[in-house]
């Protein structure tokens, strides 16, 4: 009898621990909010194309549950994005963006932003955010590790930056779930642009992101 109970509780544990990872993919900008515009390239189109490819790969090649903040060319406000994330309660959300640096066109490469500790907040708020920020950092480190391990053919492996929020990233500050903002490449850099224009680029980056998501173990 005891063995049966142990076996049943182990079975129950396996069922519980096998719940799929839940992910929200947030395609930055949309509609009138074009994001960075460089020559004829608009950031809102790049983020949507990549977000859709990531969701497609997730559904086809994993049991991860995926939700998207937008699937068409429409403007979604920052508050709507935050509300959506808080409703879906993902294990992680990924906000997809492309970068620009008009004054320093030599800036290039992939960057990861994660929520900053706001030490000026009250001890209660810091405590409430501790787990979310800690997990975001852990997932950011995992994305960084995968970036160097994955066989990306359309991106150069440049030293990667893992940033705290250097800018006022409302999405990272106000969402209640772990998340990362991925700046995929610089539209203002000619080398990055030639990566982006490679027809294999979207597949390549989406595949890398799926491989990083698959590494996440949920407790
Ligand atoms: Zn952006």
């Amino acid at each position: 009898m005891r063995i049966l109970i142990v076996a049943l509780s182990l079975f129950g544990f396996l069922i519980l621990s096998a719940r799929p990872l839940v992910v929200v993919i947030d395609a930055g900008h949309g509609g009138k909010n074009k994001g960075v515009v460089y020559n004829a390239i608009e950031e809102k189109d790049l983020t949507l194309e990549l977000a859709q490819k990531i969701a497609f790969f997730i559904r086809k090649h994993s049991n991860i549950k995926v939700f998207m903040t937008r699937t068409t060319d429409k403007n979604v406000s920052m508050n709507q994005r935050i509300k959506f994330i808080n409703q879906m309660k993902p294990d992680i959300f990924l906000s997809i963006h492309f970068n620009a640096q008009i004054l320093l066109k030599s800036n290039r490469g992939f960057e990861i932003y994660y929520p900053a500790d706001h030490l000026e907040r009250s001890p209660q708020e810091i405590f409430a955010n501790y787990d979310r920020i800690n997990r975001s950092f852990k997932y950011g480190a995992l994305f960084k590790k995968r970036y160097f391990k994955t066989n990306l053919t359309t991106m150069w492996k440049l030293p990667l930056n893992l940033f705290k929020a250097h800018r006022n990233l409302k999405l990272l500050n106000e969402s209640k779930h772990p998340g990362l903002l991925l700046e995929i490449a610089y539209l203002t850099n000619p080398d990055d642009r030639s990566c982006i224009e490679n027809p294999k680029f979207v597949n390549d980056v989406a595949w890398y992101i799926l491989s990083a998501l698959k590494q996440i173990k949920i407790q």
Side-chain angles (χ1 to χ4, degrees):
M1 186 62 184
R2 189 174 286 173
I3 290 169
L4 185 66
I5 291 168
V6 170
L8 282 175
S9 51
L10 187 67
F11 185 60
F13 173 76
L14 286 175
I15 289 173
L16 284 176
S17 62
R19 85 161 171 88
L21 186 81
V22 179
V23 178
V24 168
I25 305 292
D26 172 50
H29 313 282
K32 282 184 187 158
N33 175 356
K34 295 180 175 186
V36 178
V37 179
Y38 197 87
N39 295 340
I41 314 171
E42 294 179 358
E43 184 188 355
K44 63 165 188 171
D45 297 329
L46 298 177
T47 60
L48 183 60
E49 188 189 4
L50 180 57
Q52 276 172 328
K53 185 63 80 172
I54 297 166
F56 174 75
F57 278 175
I58 287 176
R59 288 176 185 133
K60 198 169 176 200
H61 301 286
S62 77
N63 68 342
I64 296 169
K65 248 180 148 172
V66 61
F67 301 101
M68 297 175 77
T69 53
R70 71 176 177 103
T71 53
T72 56
D73 181 22
K74 65 169 184 194
N75 188 18
V76 182
S77 75
M78 200 47 74
N79 286 337
Q80 284 173 310
R81 291 172 203 260
I82 292 166
K83 203 175 152 197
F84 182 80
I85 290 166
N86 292 341
Q87 274 170 355
M88 294 301 151
K89 300 182 172 46
D91 296 294
I92 180 172
F93 69 85
L94 298 174
S95 186
I96 308 294
H97 287 260
F98 284 73
N99 225 332
Q101 178 50 267
I102 300 295
L103 297 176
L104 211 63
K105 289 187 175 158
S106 56
N107 268 22
R108 61 173 304 204
F110 180 62
E111 292 170 359
I112 299 174
Y113 290 79
Y114 65 95
D117 308 300
H118 287 275
L119 296 173
E120 76 285 358
R121 287 181 179 180
S122 70
Q124 288 87 341
E125 269 183 290
I126 291 175
F127 182 75
N129 278 294
Y130 180 79
D131 182 58
R132 176 178 77 90
I133 290 170
N134 223 13
R135 278 176 201 244
S136 302
F137 187 79
K138 210 171 84 183
Y139 299 154
L142 191 149
F143 267 75
K144 184 176 184 174
K145 208 168 146 195
R146 287 306 299 173
Y147 173 75
F148 289 107
K149 281 193 174 171
T150 310
N151 183 25
L152 282 160
T153 54
T154 59
M155 256 174 148
W156 281 281
K157 299 277 176 78
L158 296 166
L160 164 70
N161 294 314
L162 183 63
F163 291 109
K164 288 194 175 198
H166 284 203
R167 299 168 253 169
N168 186 21
L169 297 174
K170 187 176 157 90
L171 188 73
L172 293 179
N173 289 337
E174 295 183 16
S175 299
K176 291 191 172 73
H177 298 274
L180 300 170
L181 187 142
L182 308 179
E183 291 278 5
I184 307 295
Y186 279 81
L187 276 177
T188 40
N189 178 277
D191 294 320
D192 272 14
R193 269 203 312 282
S194 68
C195 291
I196 293 166
E197 280 160 6
N198 185 324
K200 289 184 184 155
F201 179 77
V202 173
N203 264 21
D204 212 19
V205 178
W207 195 251
Y208 149 64
I209 290 173
L210 172 60
S211 77
L213 287 171
K214 279 181 169 177
Q215 300 285 306
I216 294 178
K217 307 235 178 331
I218 38 178
Q219 291 98 352

